[in-house]
């Protein structure tokens, strides 16, 4: 008994030691990972990583594909997580960490609209999607932002947004890329900190003063760069009407002295400036500026701020040929108007609108009819989809022709007989047979005739149209692909059918798209849409028939999102039976006394719309490049297939995409190219 208790005690100790060793081994093993994935679904890869790291991961439905990746080194938990981020970045996906600790995996281009965390410093330095707000102290945001956008992954999750009022830069993207941009900003913004002086103007305009000084420096040329030192630089701060001067001490002193001498109150009350606009129309801004100046003057008069001896008249005109504004006003009024012009004369965003029209149609029809008749006893005739036996009988009769014997007398009074033959007339029979569709057969025997007609139809159509157009924000755009069809609107005939004429109007038939986009806050787009799809259906005795599908609506769609505008799901089943009463109801035999027509039609019609906001030239260039390469690929495909019956001829194809404008070749270049082809 004692031996057993001692044995059990030893076993417990051994089990405890083994469990502790196993736990330590597990902890050590949990700290090292050796990932190896071959042709693995990316969703499965994400699930495995989440399970190993004990993280909750939500995967966007658009995250699809397979990956192949392997690491030959053991990775720590932190390295394993960075490995996970690197793999997703390579396959154009991104990770967004929520404040709750939950991780979302989305497409890189969709990460901009997610709840991206705003961080301080370099807390992250991998492929995590973050946002950093960086203040600038010396360089204006509007000058640095275009350069940083070229270095940012604007096609993916990266974006660079500048706020002029606070002179801060908001950077979004992968942590490593954002930190690199922050380092560039710090180096650029730090340059010349100790060599900058600010001169506040009292009367002159800061931007106009900078323009004059730049013209002077350019005219002096090498004199502004004497002694190998960097040339002085002036930057206007329109917010405070100040000028920042940087450069050599002597050069700064010279420029500051020049600025102070030029910053003098005008002897007259007027000050005229010509302001050239970059994006807005001068004629459109005249009324706005006149209203602003009138409002400022009314406010000053109401607050008793205007001086009795001063003339506050303001003159604002536009020169449309040069798209410039000519303004005459006092310096303070001029600065106010310049501020308004600067805020209005900005590059407007554009919207590319893509409409997707899908129509699937299926139609089936069956017709079976039996007709018979007799010259003496009547007939059965039906018109529900079959050709009447009466019309056929008349046509056959006319097509046979007739011969008539006639008795006549010659000059001697002797009788003789002759035959008169009437030519066959096939017009009636041709008209009757022209309406026959399918099988028709008949039999004639003993004065009786029977006709059987049977037909089965199967109609299928699949229509896909994707009209798209690009327009400015709040500007209407119109797109049409089709033809103009003449429609008779009236006719007049004179007495005796003399001088007749018809009045004709033309109607546009095809695919039409009219849209007016309005970009709202949060990258949502309000669309006023008129979508029409029309086609010719046939003709009547009066005029043509036109099928028309039209939608007029106003919707709000997120940038890059797709919304269904409308649709139709239609299913129509029709059955027509013509029969002889009582006889047509007899089982089996009744089929000889009736005609049956059955049709079934099913139609699915859907219209979708997708807007894409284009805020810069780079995005517009990428969109144009995709469309261009798509058309070029189609042309190259047709070119590879060749032209039937013309084996030595090649179909036309667009050249490779080039970001620069490629003009048509000159005559000399064309001749030279043809000579090289012959060689």
């Amino acid at each position: 008994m004692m031996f057993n208790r001692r044995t059990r005690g030893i076993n417990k100790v051994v089990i405890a030691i083994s469990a502790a060793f196993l736990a330590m081994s597990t902890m050590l093993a949990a700290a090292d990972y050796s990932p190896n994935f071959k042709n693995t679904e990316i969703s499965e890869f994400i699930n495995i990583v989440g399970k190993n790291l004990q993280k909750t991961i939500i995967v966007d439905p658009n995250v699809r594909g397979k990956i192949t990746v392997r690491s030959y080194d053991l990775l720590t938990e932190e390295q394993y997580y960075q490995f996970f981020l690197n793999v997703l970045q390579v396959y154009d996906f991104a990770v967004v960490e929520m404040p709750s600790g939950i991780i979302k995996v989305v497409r890189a281009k969709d990460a901009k609209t997610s709840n991206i965390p705003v961080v301080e410093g370099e807390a992250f330095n991998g492929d995590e999607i973050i946002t950093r707000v960086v203040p600038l102290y010396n360089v204006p945001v509007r000058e640095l932002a275009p350069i940083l956008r070229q270095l940012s992954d604007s096609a993916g999750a990266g974006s660079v947004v500048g706020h002029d009022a606070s002179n801060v830069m908001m950077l979004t993207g992968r942590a490593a890329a954002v930190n690199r941009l922050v380092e560039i900003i710090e180096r650029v913004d730090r340059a010349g900190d100790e060599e900058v002086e600010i001169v506040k103007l009292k009367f002159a305009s800061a931007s106009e003063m900078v323009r004059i000084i730049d013209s002077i420096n350019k005219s002096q040329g090498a004199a502004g760069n004497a002694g190998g030192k960097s040339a002085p630089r002036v930057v206007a701060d329109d917010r405070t009407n100040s000028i920042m001067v940087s450069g050599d001490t002597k050069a700064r002193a010279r420029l500051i002295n020049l600025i102070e001498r030029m910053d003098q109150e005008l002897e007259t009350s007027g000050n005229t400036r010509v302001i050239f606009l970059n994006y807005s129309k001068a004629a459109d801004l005249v009324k706005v500026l006149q209203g602003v100046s009138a409002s400022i003057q009314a406010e000053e008069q109401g607050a008793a701020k205007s001086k009795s001896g001063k003339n506050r008249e303001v003159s604002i005109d536009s020169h449309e040929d040069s798209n410039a504004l000519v303004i005459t006003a006092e310096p303070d009024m001029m600065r106010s108007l310049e501020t308004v012009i600067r805020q209005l004369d900005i590059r407007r965003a554009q919207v590319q609108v893509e409409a997707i029209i899908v129509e699937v149609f299926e139609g089936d029809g069956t017709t079976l009819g039996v007709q018979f008749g007799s010259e003496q006893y009547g007939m059965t005739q039906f018109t529900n989809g079959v050709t009447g036996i009466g019309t056929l009988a008349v046509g056959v009769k006319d097509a046979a022709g007739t011969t008539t014997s006639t008795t006549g007398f010659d000059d001697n009074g002797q009788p003789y007989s002759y035959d008169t033959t009437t030519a066959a007339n096939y017009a009636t029979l041709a008209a009757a047979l022209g309406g026959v569709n399918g099988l028709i057969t008949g039999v004639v025997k003993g004065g009786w005739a029977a006709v059987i007609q049977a037909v089965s139809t199967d109609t299928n159509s699949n229509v896909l149209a994707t009209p798209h157009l690009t327009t400015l924000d709040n500007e209407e755009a119109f797109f049409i692909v089709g033809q103009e069809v003449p429609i008779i609107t009236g006719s007049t005939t004179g007495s005796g059918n003399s001088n007749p004429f018809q009045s004709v109007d033309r109607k546009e038939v095809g695919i039409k798209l009219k849209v007016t986009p309005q970009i709202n806050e949060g990258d949502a787009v309000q669309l006023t849409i008129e979508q029409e799809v029309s086609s010719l259906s046939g003709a009547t005795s009066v005029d043509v028939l036109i099928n028309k599908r039209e939608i007029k609506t106003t919707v709000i769609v997120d940038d890059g999102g797709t919304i269904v505008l409308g649709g139709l799901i239609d299913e129509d089943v029709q059955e027509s039976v013509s029969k002889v009463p009582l006889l047509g109801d007899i089982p089996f035999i009744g089929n000889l006394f009736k005609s049956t027509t059955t049709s079934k039609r099913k139609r699915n019609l859907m219209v979708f719309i997708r807007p894409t906001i284009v805020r810069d030239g780079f995005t517009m260039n990428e969109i144009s490049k995709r469309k261009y390469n798509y058309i070029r690929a189609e042309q190259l495909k047709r070119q590879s297939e060749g032209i039937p019956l013309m084996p030595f001829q090649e179909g036309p194809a667009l050249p490779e995409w080039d970001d620069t404008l490629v003009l048509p070749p000159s005559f000399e270049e064309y001749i030279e190219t043809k000579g090289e082809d012959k060689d």
Side-chain angles (χ1 to χ4, degrees), residues 497-510:
N497 202 24
S498 63
N499 193 26
F501 71 91
Q502 292 180 332
S503 59
V504 179
D505 192 13
R506 294 190 177 271
K507 183 177 179 61
E508 295 175 342
V509 177

Side-chain angles (χ1 to χ4, degrees), residues 253-279:
R254 178 178 61 84
L255 289 180
I256 292 174
N257 183 39
L258 178 61
I259 293 172
E260 291 176 350
R261 291 171 58 187
M262 295 178 62
D263 186 29
Q264 302 292 329
E265 186 176 6
L266 298 178
E267 296 181 358
T268 61
S269 59
N271 179 23
T272 301
R273 279 200 60 193
V274 178
I275 303 175
F276 294 93
L277 303 179
N278 297 319
Y279 304 102

Side-chain angles (χ1 to χ4, degrees), residues 279-281 284 344-351 471-476 517 519 613-616:
Y279 304 102
S280 303
K281 292 183 178 181
D284 297 338
L344 294 178
D345 187 29
I346 60 176
R347 177 170 180 153
R348 296 169 59 186
Q350 302 180 92
V351 180
T471 182
L472 287 173
D473 181 26
N474 283 315
E475 292 290 340
E476 182 184 279
I519 301 176
I613 300 176
V614 182
R615 300 188 182 276
D616 51 40

Side-chain angles (χ1 to χ4, degrees), residues 137-381:
Y137 302 99
N138 303 284
V139 181
V141 166
R142 63 178 180 274
E143 296 184 3
L144 190 57
I147 301 175
L148 296 179
R149 290 192 182 101
Q150 298 179 11
L151 304 176
S152 172
D153 182 20
S154 58
S159 67
V160 177
V161 180
H163 188 248
D164 293 338
S166 58
N167 205 44
V168 299
M169 196 81 70
M170 290 168 284
L171 309 175
T172 300
R174 305 186 187 275
V178 171
N179 294 336
R180 180 173 65 91
L181 296 179
V182 172
E183 183 179 356
I184 295 174
I185 293 174
E186 291 176 349
R187 293 188 178 185
V188 175
D189 194 40
R190 185 173 62 244
D193 285 350
E194 299 177 358
E195 303 293 333
V196 174
E197 293 188 38
I198 299 176
V199 181
K200 186 173 179 60
L201 303 181
K202 297 179 180 179
F203 305 101
S205 171
S207 56
E208 181 66 15
M209 184 72 71
V210 169
R211 186 186 66 81
I212 296 173
I213 294 174
D214 289 339
S215 300
I216 296 174
N217 290 335
K218 291 180 181 179
S219 63
Q220 292 181 350
N225 195 21
K229 299 179 180 179
S230 59
R233 186 167 179 256
V234 291
V235 178
D237 184 8
D238 294 324
R239 299 172 299 153
T240 59
N241 197 40
S242 303
I243 297 178
M244 293 181 290
V245 185
S246 63
D248 179 66
T249 304
K250 294 182 179 180
R252 293 202 318 271
R254 178 178 61 84
L255 289 180
I256 292 174
N257 183 39
L258 178 61
I259 293 172
E260 291 176 350
R261 291 171 58 187
M262 295 178 62
D263 186 29
Q264 302 292 329
E265 186 176 6
L266 298 178
E267 296 181 358
T268 61
S269 59
N271 179 23
T272 301
R273 279 200 60 193
V274 178
I275 303 175
F276 294 93
L277 303 179
N278 297 319
Y279 304 102
S280 303
K281 292 183 178 181
D284 297 338
L285 291 185
V286 170
K287 293 183 179 180
V288 177
L289 297 177
Q290 289 175 348
V292 171
S293 63
S295 178
I296 294 175
Q297 294 184 30
E299 183 180 354
E300 291 180 350
Q301 294 175 1
K305 292 182 179 179
S306 64
K307 300 179 180 179
S308 59
K310 253 188 176 182
N311 184 10
R312 301 288 290 178
E313 293 184 359
V314 179
S315 175
I316 304 174
D317 294 312
S318 64
H319 188 257
E320 297 184 3
D321 293 341
S322 59
N323 196 35
L325 294 170
V326 183
I327 303 176
T328 301
E330 296 181 11
D332 57 343
M333 180 68 74
M334 182 70 73
R335 288 193 295 269
S336 300
L337 295 178
E338 287 177 345
T339 302
V340 176
I341 294 172
R342 185 174 63 254
Q343 295 178 355
L344 294 178
D345 187 29
I346 60 176
R347 177 170 180 153
R348 296 169 59 186
Q350 302 180 92
V351 180
Q352 183 191 58
V353 181
E354 296 177 278
I356 305 173
I357 306 165
V358 183
E359 181 179 5
V360 179
F361 176 81
E362 298 179 0
D364 298 321
T366 303
T367 300
L368 176 63
V370 179
Q371 307 173 85
F372 61 89
S374 173
E375 294 182 0
Q376 292 83 16
Y377 303 103
M379 66 180 179
T380 61
Q381 178 170 287

Side-chain angles (χ1 to χ4, degrees), residues 505-611:
D505 192 13
R506 294 190 177 271
K507 183 177 179 61
E508 295 175 342
V509 177
I511 299 176
K512 300 180 186 178
L513 177 61
K514 182 186 294 184
V515 59
T516 303
Q518 178 182 332
I519 301 176
N520 298 332
E521 185 179 359
D523 287 341
V525 184
Q526 177 177 311
L527 300 172
T528 302
I529 304 168
E530 295 184 18
Q531 173 73 64
E532 179 182 320
V533 180
S534 56
S535 61
L536 293 177
S537 176
T540 64
S541 58
V542 180
D543 218 324
V544 297
L545 296 176
I546 298 176
N547 296 326
K548 185 177 180 181
R549 306 163 186 87
E550 184 177 8
I551 295 177
K552 294 182 179 180
T553 183
T554 301
V555 296
I556 295 179
V557 194
D558 291 336
D559 179 24
T562 303
I563 188 174
V564 58
L565 297 183
L568 172 66
I569 300 178
D570 180 27
E571 186 170 357
D572 182 19
V573 178
Q574 295 184 0
E575 184 177 2
S576 174
V577 179
S578 298
K579 61 182 178 180
V580 178
L582 300 178
L583 297 178
D585 297 328
I586 301 174
F588 302 106
I589 300 177
N591 294 322
L592 301 176
F593 301 93
K594 64 182 178 181
S595 175
T596 304
T597 300
T598 304
S599 63
K600 179 181 180 181
R601 297 180 297 177
K602 185 176 182 180
R603 183 194 313 270
N604 293 330
L605 174 64
M606 292 293 172
V607 180
F608 305 87
I609 204 88
R610 180 177 65 187

Side-chain angles (χ1 to χ4, degrees), residues 390-465:
T391 305
L392 290 173
V394 173
V396 172
K397 183 69 175 179
D398 294 342
T402 57
T403 302
T404 306
S405 293
T406 306
T407 301
F409 297 91
D410 56 12
D411 295 338
N412 298 322
Q414 298 296 324
Y416 68 93
S417 300
Y418 63 93
D419 296 333
T420 304
T421 303
T422 304
N425 184 9
Y426 295 95
T428 305
L429 181 61
L433 295 178
V436 175
N437 184 23
L439 170 68
I440 183 171
T441 183
V443 60
V444 178
K445 189 174 182 179
W448 288 86
V451 176
I452 301 175
Q453 185 173 350
V455 60
S456 177
T457 59
D458 188 4
T459 305
N460 294 294
S461 64
N462 186 0
V463 180
L464 174 63

